[in-house]
Amino acid sequence: MRTYIGHQQVVGSEEFEELALGIDRELFLGVEDETGEGRAARQAAARDVLADLVAQGAAGDEVAAWDALYAEALTRTVPLLRSSARSVRVPGAGEAA
């Protein structure tokens, strides 16, 4: 079965999310293990996209205005670290005796 959003065929779940929401979440959230240089480039691109969305929203594009609000909220979100990436010791959570 094929899935389409508008005239665009969706190939994978990430593409579905991007097409459905209108923005690439990874651009605003970041990715695990990105370098400092990569982070700076991603954040610069995210600022440019956000500025474009805000301008489109101010010009009357309601969808772009909502996308701008969502994108701005994503930039303020702190991604949770994966539990496998760090070791956290919780008292009383050891093996059952």
Side-chain angles (χ1 to χ4, degrees):
M1 185 163 107
R2 295 180 185 173
T3 304
Y4 289 86
I5 296 180
H7 297 291
Q8 178 73 37
Q9 180 179 354
V10 179
V11 178
S13 61
E14 291 176 3
E15 189 175 62
F16 178 83
E17 184 177 333
E18 182 179 346
L19 289 169
L21 296 175
I23 59 172
D24 179 8
R25 288 173 31 132
E26 285 185 355
L27 179 64
F28 295 95
L29 288 175
V31 293
E32 192 174 324
D33 298 330
E34 69 182 347
T35 64
E37 186 177 293
R39 178 178 294 119
R42 178 188 52 77
Q43 289 173 339
R47 281 190 298 272
D48 290 343
V49 169
L50 183 57
D52 289 344
L53 289 171
V54 168
Q56 291 171 7
D61 186 342
E62 186 177 345
V63 173
W66 283 107
D67 285 346
L69 290 173
Y70 181 62
E72 187 175 8
L74 287 175
T75 62
R76 297 174 191 219
T77 302
V78 178
L80 297 174
L81 297 175
R82 294 182 185 208
S83 60
S84 63
R86 66 178 194 174
S87 175
V88 177
R89 177 106 174 117
V90 179
E95 292 182 27

